[in-house]
Amino acid sequence: MLAETGVHPAMWVRLWFPNAGRPHQRAYTLVDPDPTTGTFGMEFALREGRASDWARSARPGDTVEATVQGAGFKGPEPAPTRLFAVADPASLPALNSLLDALDTTPATIWFEGDLEGLPLRRDPERHEVHAVPRRDAGRYLAEQVRAALPELLRDTPDPYLWIACDTATTRAPASMARKELGLPRPRVHALGYWRAT
Ligand SMILES: Cc1cc2nc3c(=O)[nH]c(=O)nc-3n(C[C@H](O)[C@H](O)[C@H](O)COP(=O)(O)OP(=O)(O)OC[C@H]3O[C@@H](n4cnc5c(N)ncnc54)[C@H](O)[C@@H]3O)c2cc1C
């Protein structure tokens, strides 16, 4: 599959989980996809949910159906002088792949949740990480980003802003960056990774 599709940062597939006869599909990111060996990993942020249940009980040899999504990731051009990323445990695998791809780019990262024990691929020399607790359904995170971003952007000639949290929380910083701070669309990537209910 990987030899056919090629690989790119934040590449994901739609997984189809058995769910009492009704389809239950959820997106998951490929971790270190390798077209030569045809292998990749996956990392599940475990919650209450069908996908999480499947992951908890998965055993060697189990299979799951997947649909490959076509949307390739186009790296920002010109290359960013600094990456600004807003992420959480669900988007951590995608964030890691982005940090790997931009492997000389400094980054400011706001991470919603506790990073303790999570495999953030952090380079202390280049990455400034702010772990932000989830409060007020994500509004606290959005406020932290809103307070810091304008000044940070002033000092950055070619920024790239990447936001992937719950759908509602993702919207506010993306909209501020585009509408209030005038970041051109190609310099902002925002995708809701899960829906809070
Ligand atoms: C492009 C893309 C790539 C993704 N890659 C990954 C990945 O690599 N690893 C990963 O763990 N997730 C990833 N996600 C997020 C994952 O698809 C969702 O978290 C999904 O909703 C989990 O499905 P579920 O069946 O376990 O729970 P659901 O049935 O969807 O939800 C059950 C309950 O859990 C809540 N919930 C769901 N997800 C979360 C969460 N992340 N945090 C807190 N509460 C939650 C819901 O609000 C609901 O109340 C990705 C999403 C997208 C869009």
Side-chain angles (χ1 to χ4, degrees):
M1 181 190 95
L2 298 176
E4 290 254 319
T5 59
V7 297
H8 57 79
M11 184 172 178
W12 57 280
V13 293
R14 205 175 280 289
L15 296 182
W16 298 84
F17 299 96
N19 186 38
R22 296 178 53 211
H24 182 92
Q25 50 83 14
R26 293 291 183 266
Y28 280 85
T29 305
L30 307 188
V31 175
D32 297 332
D34 181 344
T36 320
T37 55
T39 56
F40 55 83
M42 275 186 179
E43 292 168 2
F44 286 71
L46 296 177
R47 307 272 163 190
E48 295 303 310
R50 188 64 205 100
S52 296
D53 287 347
W54 180 87
R56 271 189 205 94
S57 63
R59 296 286 171 268
D62 284 358
T63 61
V64 64
E65 287 192 26
T67 307
V68 180
Q69 299 299 126
F73 174 90
K74 298 225 176 354
E77 281 293 332
T81 47
R82 186 166 199 98
L83 166 71
F84 298 96
V86 189
D88 70 8
S91 58
L92 180 59
L95 171 64
N96 278 336
S97 72
L98 195 61
L99 296 178
D100 283 352
L102 300 174
D103 61 356
T104 56
T105 310
T108 302
I109 299 161
W110 290 270
F111 186 87
E112 189 182 53
D114 187 0
L115 269 165
E116 182 73 35
L118 294 187
L120 174 64
R121 297 184 183 176
R122 179 185 190 180
D123 174 351
E125 305 258 303
R126 286 184 298 118
H127 301 153
E128 187 184 307
V129 182
H130 306 281
V132 180
R134 181 166 173 83
R135 284 190 203 141
D136 297 337
R139 280 188 288 279
Y140 183 65
L141 172 68
E143 281 162 18
Q144 299 295 306
V145 177
R146 166 174 275 281
L149 198 57
E151 187 160 347
L152 290 169
L153 287 183
R154 258 198 296 279
D155 300 332
T156 310
D158 288 311
Y160 183 62
L161 176 60
W162 187 89
I163 313 166
C165 299
D166 78 82
T167 306
T169 307
T170 298
R171 262 185 225 123
S175 156
M176 176 186 74
R178 288 181 190 130
K179 292 185 190 151
E180 294 174 35
L181 304 175
L183 267 191
R185 268 183 185 273
R187 308 306 290 184
V188 183
H189 174 91
L191 181 62
Y193 266 44
W194 56 281
R195 268 175 207 286
T197 52

